[in-house]
Amino acid sequence: MCRTGEEAEPSGTGNDTGADAAFTALLEDSAEELYEAAPCGYLSTLMDGTIAKANARLLGWLGLEREAVVGRMRFTDLLTVGGRLYHETHFAPLLRMQGELSGIALELKVSGGRRLPVLVSSQIKYGSEGEPLLIRTTVFDASDRRAYEEELLRRSQEAQQAHAEADRARREAEEARLQAEADRKRLADALAVLQQSLVPASLPVVPGLETAVHYHTASADQLGGDFYDLFPLDDTRWAFFLGDVCGKGPQAASLTSLTRYTLRAAAHHDPEPTSALTTLNTVLHGRYGAEGDPRYCTVIFGIVEPGLEGGCATLRLASGGHPPALVLRSDGRAEFLRTPGGLLVGALPTAPFSTTQTTLAPGDTLLLYTDGLTEARTGPTRKQLYGEDALYAFAAAHAPAAPQEVVTALTGLLRSFGDGLDDDTALLALGVLPGGPLQGRAGKKS
């Protein structure tokens, strides 16, 4: 095939001639056929928008007959309400000013009440004198593009929504964390106040004795069950006790409170140590055993009677299932003060208790402790218990020592256990002052 005005190139073989003929036949489309069957819509309108010509492709999209469109409808009649408004306020004025517009997104009203998204390009045809004659417009189906854009928009909105939800979740998580921390602090503060109410705020001064105490709380989130007390019975005798109730939390606190006040009341009624423990056993078993939920405690109860100026103090002890007291003598010895017998207090309706008596000479110190000390886990694997033997060796290495010195040394020992110390621990030490006027000395509560 050769173009008009061009010379034909030399022909090749006969096969080339046949191929050229077939190719030429394929391209022999009439202008009318190209216009009507184009893959896009074509229309021409007068300057007032009246449709003068439209191809079959556009009419097929609209679902209208040519007779109903040409000469009867304006271009704006094919548009949706929004498209018509945009055409009148933007499209038409710009077209008159510029002479052409390309790729304007509009929507056509098509058959079935649907909307067809399209891209419209228009160009004004001018006469020889430059006067506008008509408007030629090309319409491209933008359904796929619109669907793609809508999908992109949907994905973008989903991503924004997911991001917003993630941000909201993070904010809510942070608010919940802060609220939990505040609640935990309030709870810890409340528990600390309640825990302090279960033990004396301070120890009284006992003539001729030095005292010291320490209370270690294993968890700020739980009430412990360790307790102690020291109080006068009369002008010459003082009662003291130290113990540990079963369990943790509010129930343990309730049991601790009942135990403390029962022992105080029992001591004033009958100061004999075995009588006080028997009374406590009766009260606890009667209060909890009858409900089928027995509660019990271990406790050492004692009476100390300081001697005259510079003299010895007489000590009587009874134990209800509690670890033995430890005495650090002024001559450098250490010894456990065993109390034979003595069951858990409150576990059975009746329980036998026995009394042990000893004398504290000037410079001697009596140490009471709860099993949080001896049951602390030690070693690299935290599987070994500290035990009474290690405690005895520790005491022997520090004897002789005044009560505050003993408690200070043991406080350092407790810190050295780290996470191996997972139970509350109470320490109470009493010692006879070495000579001097008959005055007392209370150590700091640590």
Side-chain angles (χ1 to χ4, degrees):
M1 174 182 179
C2 62
R3 296 181 177 86
T4 305
E6 295 181 350
E7 294 181 2
E9 296 181 355
S11 60
T13 63
N15 291 337
D16 291 339
T17 302
D20 288 343
F23 185 68
T24 300
L26 289 174
L27 297 180
E28 288 179 352
D29 292 331
S30 66
E32 185 68 20
E33 184 179 3
L34 289 174
Y35 180 82
E36 292 294 338
C40 60
Y42 285 122
L43 74 158
S44 299
T45 65
L46 303 180
M47 294 307 298
D48 65 357
T50 302
I51 299 174
K53 189 175 182 181
N55 71 344
R57 178 73 65 181
L58 178 62
L59 294 173
W61 288 347
L62 298 172
L64 297 174
E65 297 295 332
R66 193 180 303 272
E67 294 77 10
V69 175
V70 175
R72 295 179 177 273
M73 299 179 70
R74 296 175 183 268
F75 176 62
T76 53
D77 295 333
L78 307 180
L79 304 177
T80 60
V81 174
R84 190 179 306 129
L85 180 62
Y86 182 83
H87 184 277
E88 293 174 356
T89 58
H90 292 77
F91 189 98
L94 285 174
L95 181 61
R96 293 192 197 98
M97 291 174 57
Q98 300 177 11
E100 62 179 341
L101 287 176
S102 299
I104 305 301
L106 295 172
E107 285 186 331
L108 299 182
K109 297 183 295 184
V110 298
S111 59
R114 297 181 298 107
R115 295 181 177 189
L116 177 67
V118 294
L119 292 177
V120 175
S121 296
S122 295
Q123 186 178 47
I124 297 177
K125 179 181 179 181
Y126 296 93
S128 59
E129 302 294 329
E131 73 279 12
L133 300 178
L134 54 84
I135 301 171
R136 291 171 174 167
T137 298
T138 305
V139 181
F140 292 93
D141 184 351
S143 299
D144 292 341
R145 174 174 173 172
R146 174 67 61 84
Y148 176 69
E149 290 174 346
E150 290 177 348
E151 179 65 15
L152 287 180
L153 178 61
R154 185 181 68 81
R155 294 292 180 89
S156 175
Q157 291 173 340
E158 289 177 352
Q160 292 175 358
Q161 182 178 2
H163 184 69
E165 291 177 352
D167 285 343
R168 182 169 62 252
R170 282 193 293 270
R171 289 195 303 270
E172 292 175 352
E174 179 63 13
E175 291 172 358
R177 184 186 67 80
L178 295 176
Q179 183 62 47
E181 288 181 355
D183 292 343
R184 190 178 297 111
K185 185 178 184 304
R186 284 194 295 269
L187 176 61
D189 291 343
L191 291 179
V193 172
L194 181 55
Q195 188 76 64
Q196 290 297 321
S197 72
L198 299 177
V199 295
S202 62
L203 294 180
V205 175
V206 182
L209 298 182
E210 177 184 345
T211 61
V213 68
H214 173 75
Y215 193 103
H216 167 79
T217 303
S219 172
D221 298 332
Q222 280 192 321
L223 287 170
D226 291 9
F227 59 91
Y228 59 86
D229 208 346
L230 172 66
F231 53 94
L233 294 175
D234 50 39
D235 293 339
T236 60
R237 295 178 301 172
W238 294 74
F240 62 91
F241 56 79
L242 178 141
D244 182 8
V245 305
C246 64
K248 299 286 184 183
Q251 291 181 329
S254 175
L255 180 57
T256 298
S257 179
L258 176 61
T259 297
R260 280 193 63 213
Y261 289 109
T262 298
L263 285 176
R264 271 183 164 264
H268 284 288
H269 177 71
D270 183 351
E272 178 62 31
T274 56
S275 297
L277 294 187
T278 299
T279 299
L280 178 61
N281 187 82
T282 300
V283 170
L284 295 186
H285 192 272
R287 170 68 175 82
Y288 297 101
E291 298 177 354
D293 184 22
R295 301 275 170 174
Y296 53 85
C297 69
T298 67
V299 60
I300 283 186
F301 185 94
I303 303 294
V304 62
E305 187 173 352
L308 298 177
E309 184 174 335
C312 298
T314 302
L315 190 68
R316 291 171 58 79
L317 291 176
S319 174
H322 199 80
L326 187 60
V327 180
L328 284 70
R329 297 296 182 181
S330 60
D331 60 5
R333 293 180 298 113
E335 60 181 348
F336 282 116
L337 193 60
R338 303 289 181 179
T339 48
L343 299 176
L344 295 175
V345 182
L348 299 174
T350 60
F353 302 106
S354 60
T355 301
T356 294
Q357 182 170 322
T358 191
T359 299
L360 294 181
D364 289 351
T365 295
L366 173 75
L367 172 67
L368 306 181
Y369 54 92
T370 54
D371 59 8
L373 171 57
T374 52
E375 293 182 0
R377 293 175 289 108
T378 63
T381 60
R382 300 298 190 193
K383 291 183 178 180
Q384 290 179 293
L385 299 183
Y386 184 66
E388 291 183 358
D389 291 342
L391 177 59
Y392 175 83
F394 184 89
H398 287 77
Q404 188 59 58
E405 294 173 345
V406 173
V407 169
T408 299
L410 287 173
T411 301
L413 176 66
L414 293 175
R415 284 197 295 267
S416 72
F417 293 144
D419 59 2
L421 186 62
D422 53 10
D423 194 7
D424 293 350
T425 303
L427 305 173
L428 175 63
L430 309 173
V432 178
L433 292 172
L438 189 60
Q439 296 179 347
R441 187 166 63 205
K444 295 186 299 181
K445 179 182 177 182
S446 58

